[in-house]
Amino acid sequence: MLAGSGLPVLAAQDSVATSAIEVPVDKITSTLLLDVANAGQRLVAVGQRGHIIYSDDQGKSWTQAKVPTRQLLTAVYFVDAQHGWAVGHDAQILVSTDGGETWALQFEDPERESPLIDVWFENLEHGFAVGAYGTLLETSDGGQSWEDVADLLDNEDGAHLNSIIQVKDAGLLIAGEMGMIFRSADNGLTWETLESPYEGSLFGALPLMQSRSLLVFGLRGSVFRSTDFGDSWQQITLPGDGSEPFKFGLAGASTLPDGSVVLVGNGGSVAVSHDDGLTFSVSNLADRKPLSSVVAGADGQLVTVGQGGVQMINQPGSAAASGQMESAQ
């Protein structure tokens, strides 16, 4: 992924969901895709030219959704099996109420020139979208209206906000460029700025299974772990190539059903942890194409999306992965 004063409530835009570009779905699955998420048992992926595709067989085959935009879509989030939101350029926010099969345009503001980069919803009513130049939008009515609440953050330089997550038993956390980290213990009513362990860009954050625990990650393979909702941080060093440190930027992450943690990024990097993010083994896809997002697939596989579209890969370290992955060590 990529990486204000308060404004009046921004009116939602209505649109009938129509097909964006008639492109064979097999071509879409090999083009730039930036995020993939679960909608119940279904997978939904978003990317360039407004493409949204969904799979009901854990990534083996895909169907093209009906979408009313041609803008690059950067993130997708489902609060349940039916209701989801996607965000992207022109500050567009799309909504689906049928598990990602059809989408309607809820909001856009091209004059902002601020792409939205991530979206998160607490329930069917309350959610946030974050993006470039410090954009922070909030809705309390399911997206019928969106309010600019960026003034709640101490972000005078307008650092890009790249990721928003909910941390177990703690609250909300936003990670962004220049190492900016904000957290809210009251569901977004107020935000505080945390002392960052890193001055470079943080491209993502991932809640861990343990209470108050999370990872943040970004440029040059930087990974930091906290077990106290960001009060303190431990740097996690990923193994590199021989004596060389791991240097690829990390863009996406997921927790698998068995509790394993997976990070993906540039160079086709796939890092897997079986101890809640304390240590990782790292491999790279043979084609080295950047990866941006990952979720669990069928039979222990991973479903990744990125510059090479959808790729089904075997978990690093498994016998089946030997011909598909290259060890980073």
Side-chain angles (χ1 to χ4, degrees):
M1 298 193 177
L2 300 171
S5 58
L7 295 176
V9 172
L10 302 166
Q13 305 291 318
D14 295 324
S15 176
V16 177
T18 57
S19 184
I21 300 179
E22 293 301 327
V23 178
V25 72
D26 60 336
K27 290 190 176 182
I28 295 176
T29 57
S30 62
T31 193
L32 175 66
L33 296 168
L34 291 181
D35 198 18
V36 59
N38 294 99
Q41 296 301 310
R42 174 175 286 176
L43 299 180
V44 181
V46 303
Q48 70 176 6
R49 299 189 182 95
H51 290 151
I52 300 181
I53 55 177
Y54 59 92
S55 173
D56 289 322
D57 54 13
Q58 294 184 290
K60 298 175 184 177
S61 63
W62 296 82
T63 301
Q64 185 176 5
K66 295 181 178 179
V67 183
T69 184
R70 296 185 180 186
Q71 292 296 327
L72 175 69
L73 298 175
T74 56
V76 60
Y77 185 90
F78 276 80
V79 74
D80 59 29
Q82 297 297 315
H83 299 86
W85 286 262
V87 298
H89 284 211
D90 277 355
Q92 287 192 346
I93 303 175
L94 311 182
V95 64
S96 175
T97 59
D98 57 9
E101 294 183 24
T102 61
W103 296 79
L105 181 63
Q106 239 184 11
F107 173 81
E108 66 177 345
D109 187 0
E111 294 183 1
R112 294 176 70 91
E113 298 183 350
S114 299
L116 295 174
I117 301 172
D118 199 14
V119 59
W120 172 84
F121 267 73
E122 175 191 11
N123 50 43
L124 294 178
E125 302 298 324
H126 185 226
F128 291 91
V130 300
Y133 309 112
T135 300
L136 177 62
L137 305 178
E138 181 179 16
T139 181
S140 297
D141 56 14
Q144 293 303 307
S145 61
W146 290 85
E147 183 178 2
D148 188 323
V149 293
D151 59 337
L152 295 178
L153 305 181
D154 183 10
N155 187 15
E156 292 183 0
D157 294 329
H160 299 337
L161 307 178
N162 295 326
S163 180
I164 179 169
I165 62 170
Q166 183 179 44
V167 179
K168 182 179 180 181
D169 301 327
L172 305 180
L173 183 135
I174 295 173
E177 69 171 345
M178 298 188 293
M180 298 296 292
I181 304 175
F182 306 94
R183 72 178 178 190
S184 173
D186 54 15
N187 217 27
L189 290 175
T190 61
W191 295 83
E192 62 179 313
T193 305
L194 297 183
E195 183 175 348
S196 179
Y198 182 58
E199 294 182 355
S201 288
L202 297 170
F203 297 138
L206 179 73
L208 298 174
M209 298 185 71
Q210 299 300 315
S211 176
R212 299 176 60 81
S213 299
L214 72 143
L215 297 177
V216 294
F217 50 88
L219 280 176
R220 301 181 183 275
S222 301
V223 181
F224 298 89
R225 185 177 187 268
S226 176
T227 58
D228 51 19
F229 194 30
D231 284 334
S232 62
W233 297 93
Q234 173 189 4
Q235 183 168 6
I236 305 299
T237 301
L238 302 187
D241 185 6
S243 61
E244 295 295 319
F246 182 86
K247 59 184 178 181
F248 294 104
L250 297 166
S254 181
T255 302
L256 305 182
D258 67 358
S260 299
V261 174
V262 182
L263 303 173
V264 297
N266 291 344
S269 303
V270 181
V272 178
S273 171
H274 300 294
D275 55 12
D276 208 35
L278 282 170
T279 62
F280 286 84
S281 59
V282 181
S283 299
N284 298 86
L285 292 182
D287 64 12
R288 298 286 175 141
K289 290 184 178 179
L291 301 174
S292 57
S293 185
V294 59
V295 293
D299 303 321
Q301 288 188 310
L302 303 175
V303 179
T304 66
V305 299
Q307 187 171 305
V310 177
Q311 296 194 63
M312 304 280 291
I313 65 174
N314 296 296
Q315 285 199 40
S318 67
S322 59
Q324 195 175 24
M325 310 289 289
E326 300 175 352
S327 174
Q329 301 184 61

